[in-house]
C-alpha cells in the first residue's frame, strides 16, 4: 500500500516539474522592469501563496483518490485491503501535504518563481501588452480577477481531478496490464 501512495505522490510531483526553464538572458532591461511592475500590480507573491494554500486544501482528496485508483488498478479490493489502504493514506497524506506546504510557501521558492516569471512573460507578451496587462490589473475587474484567481485555480484542479483522473487512471491501468502480461 505504501508503494501505491509513493507512486501517487511521485505522479503529483511531476505536475511541478514538466515546464521547461525560461532563458532569462533574453529579456531586455526595460521588459524586466515592466514585468516586475506587472507582478507587483498582480500581487504575485500574495496570489501565489493564496493559490498554493487553496491547492493544499484539495490535495489530500486528490492524493487519496489517485492512490486508491492506483491501488485498485482495475480490480476490486477486499474490505481488509481497502481498510489497510485507507490507514496508510490517513497516516502519510497529512505529512505529505505538510511537507509540500513548506516547499510551496518557502519565500526563497517564491522569489525563484518570480525571477522565472519575468522571461516567461517576455516570451509570450510584448512590452506594450505587459503594460496593458498592468493597467488592466489596476482596474476593479482586474483586482477582482486577482482576488478570485486562487479559488478559481483550486476549483479548476478539482474539476480536472474529477474529469481527467478516471480517464488517466484507465490509461495507466491498461499500460500496467500490458507490462505485467509481457513479463
Amino acid at each position: 500500500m505504501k508503494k501505491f501512495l509513493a507512486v501517487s505522490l511521485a505522479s503529483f510531483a511531476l505536475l511541478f516539474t514538466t515546464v521547461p526553464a525560461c532563458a532569462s538572458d533574453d529579456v531586455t532591461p526595460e521588459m524586466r522592469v515592466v514585468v516586475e511592475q506587472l507582478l507587483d500590480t498582480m500581487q504575485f507573491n500574495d496570489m501565489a501563496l493564496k493559490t498554493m494554500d487553496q491547492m493544499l486544501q484539495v490535495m489530500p482528496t486528490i492524493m487519496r483518490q489517485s492512490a486508491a485508483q492506483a491501488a485498485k488498478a482495475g480490480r476490486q479490493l477486499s474490505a481488509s485491503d481497502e481498510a489497510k489502504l485507507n490507514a496508510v493514506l490517513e497516516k502519510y497524506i497529512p505529512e505529505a501535504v505538510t511537507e509540500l506546504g513548506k516547499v510551496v510557501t518557502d519565500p526563497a521558492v517564491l522569489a525563484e518563481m518570480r525571477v522565472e516569471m519575468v522571461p516567461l512573460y517576455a516570451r509570450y507578451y510584448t512590452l506594450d501588452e505587459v503594460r496593458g496587462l498592468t493597467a488592466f490589473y489596476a482596474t476593479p475587474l482586474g483586482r477582482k480577477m486577482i482576488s478570485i484567481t486562487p479559488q478559481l485555480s483550486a476549483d479548476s484542479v478539482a474539476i480536472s481531478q474529477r474529469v481527467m483522473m478516471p480517464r488517466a487512471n484507465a490509461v495507466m491501468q491498461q499500460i500496467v496490464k500490458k507490462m505485467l502480461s509481457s513479463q
Side-chain angles (χ1 to χ4, degrees):
M1 295 299 162
K2 290 179 187 177
K3 182 174 108 178
F4 293 117
L5 179 60
V7 168
S8 297
L9 293 175
S11 298
F12 172 74
L14 287 175
L15 292 174
F16 292 103
T17 60
T18 57
V19 178
C22 295
S24 60
D25 297 339
D26 299 340
V27 180
T28 66
E30 185 178 14
M31 178 62 97
R32 187 170 306 284
V33 167
V34 172
V35 172
E36 286 289 342
Q37 289 171 344
L38 171 62
L39 294 175
D40 288 342
T41 302
M42 292 172 59
Q43 302 168 351
F44 174 79
N45 286 14
D46 186 49
M47 187 169 52
L49 286 172
K50 286 178 182 175
T51 299
M52 293 302 171
D53 183 57
Q54 290 292 326
M55 298 292 200
L56 290 171
Q57 304 262 335
V58 298
M59 218 29 63
T61 301
I62 291 170
M63 289 176 177
R64 279 184 199 94
Q65 290 173 350
S66 181
Q69 289 174 346
K72 291 177 182 176
R75 64 184 189 276
Q76 188 67 30
L77 293 181
S78 69
S80 172
D81 285 343
E82 187 98 25
K84 287 177 189 174
L85 172 65
N86 289 334
V88 168
L89 294 175
E90 292 312 310
K91 180 178 179 181
Y92 290 102
I93 286 178
E95 178 184 347
V97 171
T98 298
E99 292 305 312
L100 185 59
K102 290 176 187 176
V103 171
V104 300
T105 60
D106 180 346
V109 172
L110 289 172
E112 186 176 338
M113 283 179 52
R114 187 178 173 111
V115 167
E116 291 284 330
M117 296 305 284
V118 172
L120 179 66
Y121 276 81
R123 181 190 306 161
Y124 292 105
Y125 294 105
T126 67
L127 202 54
D128 286 340
E129 289 170 335
V130 174
R131 287 183 178 126
L133 286 169
T134 303
F136 167 73
Y137 283 115
T139 68
L141 179 58
R143 288 272 175 237
K144 179 179 181 177
M145 187 170 179
I146 290 168
S147 72
I148 66 169
T149 293
Q151 186 62 48
L152 191 64
S153 296
D155 291 349
S156 296
V157 168
I159 290 168
S160 296
Q161 175 69 18
R162 186 176 65 246
V163 174
M164 296 301 292
M165 283 307 288
R167 291 165 175 88
N169 284 330
V171 169
M172 291 306 296
Q173 288 170 7
Q174 290 173 353
I175 292 169
V176 168
K177 284 180 186 177
K178 285 180 184 178
M179 287 171 38
L180 293 175
S181 67
S182 68
Q183 292 180 349

